[in-house]
């Protein structure tokens, strides 16, 4: 998955080498997801392989590297998982929802408006 420009400085300078070693070395060009993505579409390890066609959709598979703790600075191999784009997007969906909400909230506040929230309301 592309790195957003505002997050690029959070990755180590040798990220391309780290990513390649996970995707093409350890994972041998195959998605390492064993269900942690929550898609519920595969038993055991995901069958998608880099450059092949994705099961179910037929789209071209691009193998990515997911940070399991969503922290780009943490490049410990135990925190990294080679994932096809489908598994990676599903794995990150809650994190993306949270960061999108924070981005919207910051834009509203920067415009001088009050943010209304239901957090803590009962």
């Amino acid at each position: 998955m592309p790195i957003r420009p505002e997050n690029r400085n959070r990755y180590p300078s040798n990220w391309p080498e780290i990513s390649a070693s996970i995707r093409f070395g350890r994972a041998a060009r195959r998605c390492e997801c064993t269900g942690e993505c929550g898609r519920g579409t595969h038993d055991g390890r995901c069958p998608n392989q880099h450059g092949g066609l994705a099961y179910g959709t037929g789209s071209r598979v691009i193998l990515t590297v997911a940070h399991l703790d969503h922290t780009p600075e943490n490049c410990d191999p135990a925190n990294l998982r080679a994932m096809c784009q489908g598994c990676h997007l599903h794995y990150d969906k809650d994190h993306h929802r949270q960061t999108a909400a924070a981005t919207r909230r910051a834009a509203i506040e920067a415009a001088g408006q009050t943010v209304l929230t239901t957090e803590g309301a009962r």
Side-chain angles (χ1 to χ4, degrees):
M1 301 187 65
I3 299 171
R4 290 182 172 195
E6 65 269 20
N7 289 330
R8 197 165 297 282
N9 66 342
R10 297 182 64 194
Y11 288 78
S13 60
N14 64 336
W15 174 248
E17 292 83 13
I18 293 169
S19 174
S21 73
I22 297 296
R23 292 178 293 138
F24 306 128
R26 185 181 78 192
R29 305 180 67 85
R30 184 170 166 209
C31 183
E32 292 182 304
C33 180
T34 57
E36 60 267 40
C37 67
R39 291 169 77 182
T41 56
H42 55 272
D43 292 325
R45 188 171 173 183
C46 175
N48 284 339
Q49 294 188 24
H50 183 76
L53 299 179
Y55 71 92
T57 66
S59 62
R60 184 72 53 199
V61 174
I62 303 297
L63 207 55
T64 64
V65 176
H67 288 81
L68 300 179
D69 69 354
H70 306 292
T71 306
E73 295 86 354
N74 182 0
C75 293
D76 183 315
N79 184 51
L80 303 176
R81 191 84 75 245
M83 289 187 179
C84 65
Q85 65 270 39
C87 288
H88 197 161
L89 285 168
H90 276 79
Y91 183 80
D92 283 351
K93 71 179 179 187
D94 291 336
H95 178 69
H96 288 171
R97 189 177 298 120
Q98 292 168 356
T99 57
T103 300
R104 284 190 301 274
R105 192 169 34 255
I108 290 168
E109 290 171 351
Q113 298 178 7
T114 302
V115 177
L116 299 177
T117 180
T118 57
E119 293 176 17
R122 293 193 181 239

mmCIF file of all heavy atoms in Angstrom, residues 36-74:
data_model
loop_
_atom_site.group_PDB
_atom_site.id
_atom_site.type_symbol
_atom_site.label_atom_id
_atom_site.label_comp_id
_atom_site.label_asym_id
_atom_site.label_seq_id
_atom_site.Cartn_x
_atom_site.Cartn_y
_atom_site.Cartn_z
ATOM 1 N N GLU A 36 -6.219 -13.249 10.316
ATOM 2 C CA GLU A 36 -6.219 -12.076 11.196
ATOM 3 C C GLU A 36 -6.820 -10.849 10.536
ATOM 4 O O GLU A 36 -7.168 -9.889 11.212
ATOM 5 C CB GLU A 36 -4.812 -11.774 11.748
ATOM 6 C CG GLU A 36 -3.760 -11.477 10.728
ATOM 7 C CD GLU A 36 -2.959 -12.698 10.291
ATOM 8 O OE1 GLU A 36 -3.540 -13.769 10.117
ATOM 9 O OE2 GLU A 36 -1.753 -12.568 10.116
ATOM 10 N N CYS A 37 -6.997 -10.881 9.215
ATOM 11 C CA CYS A 37 -7.617 -9.756 8.512
ATOM 12 C C CYS A 37 -9.111 -9.663 8.816
ATOM 13 O O CYS A 37 -9.711 -8.606 8.673
ATOM 14 C CB CYS A 37 -7.405 -9.881 7.006
ATOM 15 S SG CYS A 37 -8.267 -11.277 6.250
ATOM 16 N N GLY A 38 -9.719 -10.771 9.208
ATOM 17 C CA GLY A 38 -11.137 -10.763 9.547
ATOM 18 C C GLY A 38 -12.071 -10.875 8.352
ATOM 19 O O GLY A 38 -13.283 -10.741 8.495
ATOM 20 N N ARG A 39 -11.539 -11.118 7.169
ATOM 21 C CA ARG A 39 -12.391 -11.231 5.978
ATOM 22 C C ARG A 39 -13.282 -12.462 6.040
ATOM 23 O O ARG A 39 -14.392 -12.447 5.519
ATOM 24 C CB ARG A 39 -11.530 -11.307 4.710
ATOM 25 C CG ARG A 39 -10.815 -10.048 4.378
ATOM 26 C CD ARG A 39 -9.791 -10.264 3.287
ATOM 27 N NE ARG A 39 -10.411 -10.351 1.979
ATOM 28 C CZ ARG A 39 -9.749 -10.564 0.875
ATOM 29 N NH1 ARG A 39 -8.441 -10.749 0.906
ATOM 30 N NH2 ARG A 39 -10.369 -10.608 -0.284
ATOM 31 N N GLY A 40 -12.770 -13.543 6.609
ATOM 32 C CA GLY A 40 -13.545 -14.779 6.682
ATOM 33 C C GLY A 40 -13.688 -15.461 5.333
ATOM 34 O O GLY A 40 -14.609 -16.247 5.130
ATOM 35 N N THR A 41 -12.780 -15.167 4.405
ATOM 36 C CA THR A 41 -12.900 -15.720 3.054
ATOM 37 C C THR A 41 -11.931 -16.856 2.773
ATOM 38 O O THR A 41 -11.993 -17.453 1.707
ATOM 39 C CB THR A 41 -12.664 -14.619 2.001
ATOM 40 O OG1 THR A 41 -11.378 -14.027 2.243
ATOM 41 C CG2 THR A 41 -13.750 -13.559 2.066
ATOM 42 N N HIS A 42 -11.026 -17.141 3.709
ATOM 43 C CA HIS A 42 -10.093 -18.242 3.478
ATOM 44 C C HIS A 42 -9.820 -18.988 4.774
ATOM 45 O O HIS A 42 -9.791 -18.409 5.850
ATOM 46 C CB HIS A 42 -8.774 -17.730 2.860
ATOM 47 C CG HIS A 42 -8.094 -16.640 3.640
ATOM 48 N ND1 HIS A 42 -8.378 -15.311 3.447
ATOM 49 C CD2 HIS A 42 -7.154 -16.677 4.595
ATOM 50 C CE1 HIS A 42 -7.636 -14.584 4.251
ATOM 51 N NE2 HIS A 42 -6.886 -15.397 4.966
ATOM 52 N N ASP A 43 -9.688 -20.299 4.628
ATOM 53 C CA ASP A 43 -9.286 -21.151 5.753
ATOM 54 C C ASP A 43 -7.776 -21.292 5.699
ATOM 55 O O ASP A 43 -7.210 -21.553 4.641
ATOM 56 C CB ASP A 43 -9.931 -22.534 5.650
ATOM 57 C CG ASP A 43 -11.442 -22.490 5.841
ATOM 58 O OD1 ASP A 43 -11.901 -21.658 6.646
ATOM 59 O OD2 ASP A 43 -12.143 -23.268 5.178
ATOM 60 N N GLY A 44 -7.106 -21.104 6.825
ATOM 61 C CA GLY A 44 -5.655 -21.178 6.820
ATOM 62 C C GLY A 44 -5.056 -19.980 6.112
ATOM 63 O O GLY A 44 -5.638 -18.900 6.077
ATOM 64 N N ARG A 45 -3.918 -20.201 5.494
ATOM 65 C CA ARG A 45 -3.194 -19.108 4.839
ATOM 66 C C ARG A 45 -3.881 -18.690 3.546
ATOM 67 O O ARG A 45 -4.316 -19.512 2.750
ATOM 68 C CB ARG A 45 -1.767 -19.555 4.551
ATOM 69 C CG ARG A 45 -0.875 -18.444 4.061
ATOM 70 C CD ARG A 45 0.565 -18.890 4.006
ATOM 71 N NE ARG A 45 1.408 -17.883 3.372
ATOM 72 C CZ ARG A 45 2.690 -18.051 3.145
ATOM 73 N NH1 ARG A 45 3.299 -19.171 3.507
ATOM 74 N NH2 ARG A 45 3.380 -17.103 2.561
ATOM 75 N N CYS A 46 -3.972 -17.386 3.348
ATOM 76 C CA CYS A 46 -4.562 -16.812 2.134
ATOM 77 C C CYS A 46 -3.804 -17.332 0.914
ATOM 78 O O CYS A 46 -2.577 -17.356 0.906
ATOM 79 C CB CYS A 46 -4.482 -15.290 2.207
ATOM 80 S SG CYS A 46 -5.050 -14.437 0.723
ATOM 81 N N PRO A 47 -4.523 -17.731 -0.127
ATOM 82 C CA PRO A 47 -3.850 -18.286 -1.308
ATOM 83 C C PRO A 47 -3.291 -17.259 -2.290
ATOM 84 O O PRO A 47 -2.610 -17.636 -3.244
ATOM 85 C CB PRO A 47 -4.971 -19.093 -1.984
ATOM 86 C CG PRO A 47 -6.217 -18.362 -1.614
ATOM 87 C CD PRO A 47 -5.970 -17.851 -0.207
ATOM 88 N N ASN A 48 -3.538 -15.967 -2.075
ATOM 89 C CA ASN A 48 -3.107 -14.964 -3.051
ATOM 90 C C ASN A 48 -1.585 -14.864 -3.128
ATOM 91 O O ASN A 48 -0.901 -14.840 -2.110
ATOM 92 C CB ASN A 48 -3.697 -13.598 -2.723
ATOM 93 C CG ASN A 48 -5.150 -13.509 -3.102
ATOM 94 O OD1 ASN A 48 -5.640 -14.267 -3.934
ATOM 95 N ND2 ASN A 48 -5.863 -12.573 -2.485
ATOM 96 N N GLN A 49 -1.089 -14.782 -4.380
ATOM 97 C CA GLN A 49 0.341 -14.666 -4.635
ATOM 98 C C GLN A 49 0.625 -13.406 -5.422
ATOM 99 O O GLN A 49 -0.142 -13.039 -6.327
ATOM 100 C CB GLN A 49 0.835 -15.880 -5.409
ATOM 101 C CG GLN A 49 0.739 -17.152 -4.596
ATOM 102 C CD GLN A 49 1.402 -18.328 -5.292
ATOM 103 O OE1 GLN A 49 2.283 -18.152 -6.131
ATOM 104 N NE2 GLN A 49 0.999 -19.521 -4.937
ATOM 105 N N HIS A 50 1.744 -12.766 -5.097
ATOM 106 C CA HIS A 50 2.146 -11.517 -5.756
ATOM 107 C C HIS A 50 2.192 -11.708 -7.267
ATOM 108 O O HIS A 50 2.809 -12.640 -7.771
ATOM 109 C CB HIS A 50 3.511 -11.068 -5.240
ATOM 110 C CG HIS A 50 3.966 -9.775 -5.812
ATOM 111 N ND1 HIS A 50 3.456 -8.571 -5.388
ATOM 112 C CD2 HIS A 50 4.863 -9.481 -6.778
ATOM 113 C CE1 HIS A 50 4.034 -7.599 -6.062
ATOM 114 N NE2 HIS A 50 4.889 -8.131 -6.913
ATOM 115 N N GLY A 51 1.511 -10.823 -7.979
ATOM 116 C CA GLY A 51 1.498 -10.864 -9.429
ATOM 117 C C GLY A 51 0.442 -11.769 -10.022
ATOM 118 O O GLY A 51 0.166 -11.705 -11.212
ATOM 119 N N GLY A 52 -0.175 -12.608 -9.183
ATOM 120 C CA GLY A 52 -1.220 -13.503 -9.669
ATOM 121 C C GLY A 52 -2.576 -12.825 -9.645
ATOM 122 O O GLY A 52 -2.687 -11.620 -9.404
ATOM 123 N N LEU A 53 -3.607 -13.621 -9.886
ATOM 124 C CA LEU A 53 -4.969 -13.094 -9.832
ATOM 125 C C LEU A 53 -5.588 -13.439 -8.482
ATOM 126 O O LEU A 53 -5.485 -14.577 -8.024
ATOM 127 C CB LEU A 53 -5.811 -13.673 -10.970
ATOM 128 C CG LEU A 53 -5.308 -13.348 -12.378
ATOM 129 C CD1 LEU A 53 -6.212 -13.986 -13.430
ATOM 130 C CD2 LEU A 53 -5.217 -11.844 -12.596
ATOM 131 N N ALA A 54 -6.230 -12.461 -7.874
ATOM 132 C CA ALA A 54 -6.839 -12.643 -6.555
ATOM 133 C C ALA A 54 -8.040 -13.570 -6.653
ATOM 134 O O ALA A 54 -8.846 -13.459 -7.576
ATOM 135 C CB ALA A 54 -7.265 -11.300 -5.975
ATOM 136 N N TYR A 55 -8.129 -14.495 -5.697
ATOM 137 C CA TYR A 55 -9.304 -15.365 -5.668
ATOM 138 C C TYR A 55 -10.522 -14.496 -5.406
ATOM 139 O O TYR A 55 -10.460 -13.500 -4.699
ATOM 140 C CB TYR A 55 -9.151 -16.461 -4.610
ATOM 141 C CG TYR A 55 -9.245 -15.963 -3.186
ATOM 142 C CD1 TYR A 55 -10.458 -15.950 -2.522
ATOM 143 C CD2 TYR A 55 -8.128 -15.482 -2.527
ATOM 144 C CE1 TYR A 55 -10.556 -15.472 -1.229
ATOM 145 C CE2 TYR A 55 -8.224 -15.006 -1.228
ATOM 146 C CZ TYR A 55 -9.447 -15.003 -0.593
ATOM 147 O OH TYR A 55 -9.543 -14.526 0.684
ATOM 148 N N GLY A 56 -11.598 -14.825 -6.021
ATOM 149 C CA GLY A 56 -12.848 -14.097 -5.802
ATOM 150 C C GLY A 56 -13.044 -12.874 -6.679
ATOM 151 O O GLY A 56 -14.121 -12.656 -7.182
ATOM 152 N N THR A 57 -11.980 -12.083 -6.879
ATOM 153 C CA THR A 57 -12.147 -10.845 -7.651
ATOM 154 C C THR A 57 -11.446 -10.888 -9.002
ATOM 155 O O THR A 57 -11.845 -10.187 -9.923
ATOM 156 C CB THR A 57 -11.597 -9.628 -6.883
ATOM 157 O OG1 THR A 57 -10.173 -9.765 -6.761
ATOM 158 C CG2 THR A 57 -12.235 -9.496 -5.515
ATOM 159 N N GLY A 58 -10.378 -11.634 -9.094
ATOM 160 C CA GLY A 58 -9.622 -11.700 -10.330
ATOM 161 C C GLY A 58 -8.712 -10.506 -10.563
ATOM 162 O O GLY A 58 -8.083 -10.401 -11.609
ATOM 163 N N SER A 59 -8.615 -9.605 -9.582
ATOM 164 C CA SER A 59 -7.722 -8.447 -9.733
ATOM 165 C C SER A 59 -6.272 -8.895 -9.543
ATOM 166 O O SER A 59 -6.001 -9.931 -8.945
ATOM 167 C CB SER A 59 -8.086 -7.358 -8.724
ATOM 168 O OG SER A 59 -7.916 -7.821 -7.406
ATOM 169 N N ARG A 60 -5.349 -8.111 -10.051
ATOM 170 C CA ARG A 60 -3.926 -8.435 -9.921
ATOM 171 C C ARG A 60 -3.503 -8.243 -8.467
ATOM 172 O O ARG A 60 -3.792 -7.210 -7.857
ATOM 173 C CB ARG A 60 -3.113 -7.523 -10.839
ATOM 174 C CG ARG A 60 -1.642 -7.791 -10.879
ATOM 175 C CD ARG A 60 -1.214 -9.032 -11.595
ATOM 176 N NE ARG A 60 -1.743 -9.106 -12.944
ATOM 177 C CZ ARG A 60 -1.813 -10.231 -13.634
ATOM 178 N NH1 ARG A 60 -1.392 -11.352 -13.118
ATOM 179 N NH2 ARG A 60 -2.305 -10.236 -14.845
ATOM 180 N N VAL A 61 -2.825 -9.230 -7.895
ATOM 181 C CA VAL A 61 -2.400 -9.183 -6.490
ATOM 182 C C VAL A 61 -1.100 -8.403 -6.365
ATOM 183 O O VAL A 61 -0.137 -8.658 -7.086
ATOM 184 C CB VAL A 61 -2.202 -10.607 -5.920
ATOM 185 C CG1 VAL A 61 -1.607 -10.551 -4.513
ATOM 186 C CG2 VAL A 61 -3.513 -11.365 -5.914
ATOM 187 N N ILE A 62 -1.100 -7.448 -5.465
ATOM 188 C CA ILE A 62 0.101 -6.716 -5.080
ATOM 189 C C ILE A 62 0.336 -7.042 -3.610
ATOM 190 O O ILE A 62 -0.499 -6.750 -2.761
ATOM 191 C CB ILE A 62 -0.066 -5.190 -5.237
ATOM 192 C CG1 ILE A 62 -0.456 -4.827 -6.666
ATOM 193 C CG2 ILE A 62 1.204 -4.470 -4.802
ATOM 194 C CD1 ILE A 62 0.562 -5.184 -7.720
ATOM 195 N N LEU A 63 1.449 -7.679 -3.341
ATOM 196 C CA LEU A 63 1.769 -8.034 -1.962
ATOM 197 C C LEU A 63 2.304 -6.801 -1.247
ATOM 198 O O LEU A 63 3.148 -6.064 -1.787
ATOM 199 C CB LEU A 63 2.815 -9.150 -1.956
ATOM 200 C CG LEU A 63 2.846 -10.080 -0.768
ATOM 201 C CD1 LEU A 63 1.488 -10.726 -0.520
ATOM 202 C CD2 LEU A 63 3.888 -11.154 -0.976
ATOM 203 N N THR A 64 1.791 -6.537 -0.067
ATOM 204 C CA THR A 64 2.170 -5.384 0.744
ATOM 205 C C THR A 64 2.705 -5.890 2.083
ATOM 206 O O THR A 64 2.680 -7.088 2.346
ATOM 207 C CB THR A 64 0.952 -4.472 0.995
ATOM 208 O OG1 THR A 64 -0.012 -5.203 1.767
ATOM 209 C CG2 THR A 64 0.326 -4.009 -0.311
ATOM 210 N N VAL A 65 3.159 -4.991 2.925
ATOM 211 C CA VAL A 65 3.599 -5.373 4.270
ATOM 212 C C VAL A 65 2.781 -4.583 5.283
ATOM 213 O O VAL A 65 2.779 -3.348 5.265
ATOM 214 C CB VAL A 65 5.107 -5.134 4.482
ATOM 215 C CG1 VAL A 65 5.510 -5.456 5.921
ATOM 216 C CG2 VAL A 65 5.922 -5.990 3.517
ATOM 217 N N ALA A 66 2.089 -5.293 6.140
ATOM 218 C CA ALA A 66 1.277 -4.673 7.184
ATOM 219 C C ALA A 66 2.060 -4.611 8.492
ATOM 220 O O ALA A 66 2.757 -5.571 8.842
ATOM 221 C CB ALA A 66 0.001 -5.484 7.402
ATOM 222 N N HIS A 67 1.946 -3.490 9.175
ATOM 223 C CA HIS A 67 2.458 -3.375 10.549
ATOM 224 C C HIS A 67 1.307 -3.801 11.454
ATOM 225 O O HIS A 67 0.279 -3.120 11.498
ATOM 226 C CB HIS A 67 2.864 -1.933 10.860
ATOM 227 C CG HIS A 67 4.107 -1.494 10.166
ATOM 228 N ND1 HIS A 67 4.123 -1.070 8.852
ATOM 229 C CD2 HIS A 67 5.382 -1.433 10.606
ATOM 230 C CE1 HIS A 67 5.360 -0.748 8.523
ATOM 231 N NE2 HIS A 67 6.142 -0.957 9.570
ATOM 232 N N LEU A 68 1.458 -4.899 12.143
ATOM 233 C CA LEU A 68 0.355 -5.438 12.937
ATOM 234 C C LEU A 68 -0.096 -4.491 14.037
ATOM 235 O O LEU A 68 -1.272 -4.487 14.405
ATOM 236 C CB LEU A 68 0.736 -6.809 13.508
ATOM 237 C CG LEU A 68 1.061 -7.875 12.447
ATOM 238 C CD1 LEU A 68 1.448 -9.186 13.120
ATOM 239 C CD2 LEU A 68 -0.105 -8.072 11.485
ATOM 240 N N ASP A 69 0.826 -3.655 14.545
ATOM 241 C CA ASP A 69 0.455 -2.685 15.586
ATOM 242 C C ASP A 69 0.180 -1.297 15.008
ATOM 243 O O ASP A 69 0.020 -0.342 15.750
ATOM 244 C CB ASP A 69 1.527 -2.623 16.671
ATOM 245 C CG ASP A 69 2.837 -2.008 16.196
ATOM 246 O OD1 ASP A 69 2.985 -1.712 14.978
ATOM 247 O OD2 ASP A 69 3.738 -1.823 17.042
ATOM 248 N N HIS A 70 0.155 -1.180 13.676
ATOM 249 C CA HIS A 70 -0.123 0.079 12.970
ATOM 250 C C HIS A 70 0.909 1.162 13.278
ATOM 251 O O HIS A 70 0.615 2.354 13.164
ATOM 252 C CB HIS A 70 -1.528 0.600 13.285
ATOM 253 C CG HIS A 70 -2.603 -0.404 13.023
ATOM 254 N ND1 HIS A 70 -2.948 -0.833 11.753
ATOM 255 C CD2 HIS A 70 -3.386 -1.109 13.871
ATOM 256 C CE1 HIS A 70 -3.896 -1.737 11.847
ATOM 257 N NE2 HIS A 70 -4.184 -1.932 13.097
ATOM 258 N N THR A 71 2.115 0.761 13.651
ATOM 259 C CA THR A 71 3.170 1.706 13.987
ATOM 260 C C THR A 71 4.332 1.540 13.013
ATOM 261 O O THR A 71 5.107 0.590 13.135
ATOM 262 C CB THR A 71 3.669 1.487 15.441
ATOM 263 O OG1 THR A 71 2.542 1.542 16.314
ATOM 264 C CG2 THR A 71 4.681 2.533 15.847
ATOM 265 N N PRO A 72 4.466 2.430 12.023
ATOM 266 C CA PRO A 72 5.508 2.275 11.005
ATOM 267 C C PRO A 72 6.929 2.229 11.553
ATOM 268 O O PRO A 72 7.810 1.638 10.932
ATOM 269 C CB PRO A 72 5.318 3.498 10.108
ATOM 270 C CG PRO A 72 3.923 3.938 10.336
ATOM 271 C CD PRO A 72 3.595 3.570 11.758
ATOM 272 N N GLU A 73 7.156 2.836 12.707
ATOM 273 C CA GLU A 73 8.496 2.815 13.287
ATOM 274 C C GLU A 73 8.878 1.428 13.795
ATOM 275 O O GLU A 73 10.059 1.123 13.934
ATOM 276 C CB GLU A 73 8.592 3.814 14.452
ATOM 277 C CG GLU A 73 8.428 5.259 14.049
ATOM 278 C CD GLU A 73 6.969 5.740 13.995
ATOM 279 O OE1 GLU A 73 6.048 4.924 14.165
ATOM 280 O OE2 GLU A 73 6.766 6.936 13.768
ATOM 281 N N ASN A 74 7.899 0.583 14.074
ATOM 282 C CA ASN A 74 8.159 -0.754 14.622
ATOM 283 C C ASN A 74 8.319 -1.748 13.476
ATOM 284 O O ASN A 74 7.349 -2.329 13.007
ATOM 285 C CB ASN A 74 7.024 -1.186 15.548
ATOM 286 C CG ASN A 74 7.273 -2.544 16.181
ATOM 287 O OD1 ASN A 74 8.291 -3.188 15.942
ATOM 288 N ND2 ASN A 74 6.330 -2.988 16.991
#
